[in-house]
Amino acid sequence: QVQLVESGGGSVQAGGSLRLSCAASGFTNSGYCMGWFRQAPGKEREGVATINKIGTPTYGEFAKGRFTISQDKAKNILYLQMNSLEPEDSAMYYCAALPVSTLYGCTLADRYYTYWGQGTQVTVSS
């Protein structure tokens, strides 16, 4: 049973930084895409960043240059470093996993992801 537990959310002023973590367990092999998604009130969930088993990242346009996704495979932890945060980044952030082994970039489309965490709230004030 795959379990994903996010942490690291909170409140920050515009221009600040946060690092989200996702502790993963229950994987039977290393062939997964991992990703961060977010959903603001009244908006659809959108892909923030994904990473494949060899560490190749894919970013949503709004995340490029500000956010960095990384993973510690030894500890099974996924990270999202968020810098230069803006009020528009306020949302619930979710960690997700897709059981596919690929050397290419992982999709940012949330409908393909099988496992989801409960989310961690990020609030950015102006």
Side-chain angles (χ1 to χ4, degrees), residues 31-49:
Y32 283 83
C33 282
M34 300 292 298
W36 288 99
F37 298 81
R38 70 183 189 183
Q39 187 168 23
K43 295 186 177 181
E44 292 187 355
R45 189 164 55 191
E46 60 182 348
V48 178

Side-chain angles (χ1 to χ4, degrees), residues 84-101:
S84 302
L85 284 163
E86 304 167 350
E88 293 74 22
D89 295 316
S90 297
M92 186 71 78
Y93 282 71
Y94 298 93
C95 172
L98 166 62
V100 65
S101 180

Side-chain angles (χ1 to χ4, degrees), residues 6 10 14 23 29 50 67 69 79 83-84 112:
E6 303 95 334
N29 58 66
T50 61
F67 296 179
I69 189 171
Y79 299 102
N83 299 327
S84 302
Y112 294 108

Side-chain angles (χ1 to χ4, degrees), residues 55-100:
T56 304
T58 302
Y59 293 99
E61 284 299 319
F62 61 86
K64 291 179 180 178
R66 299 191 299 132
F67 296 179
T68 302
I69 189 171
S70 62
Q71 57 188 353
D72 184 331
K73 296 185 73 67
K75 296 181 179 179
N76 281 337
I77 299 177
L78 180 73
Y79 299 102
L80 182 69
Q81 177 67 43
M82 303 187 294
N83 299 327
S84 302
L85 284 163
E86 304 167 350
E88 293 74 22
D89 295 316
S90 297
M92 186 71 78
Y93 282 71
Y94 298 93
C95 172
L98 166 62
V100 65

Side-chain angles (χ1 to χ4, degrees), residues 18-36:
L18 283 174
R19 188 176 80 157
L20 306 183
S21 300
C22 172
S25 62
F27 290 141
T28 57
N29 58 66
S30 62
Y32 283 83
C33 282
M34 300 292 298
W36 288 99

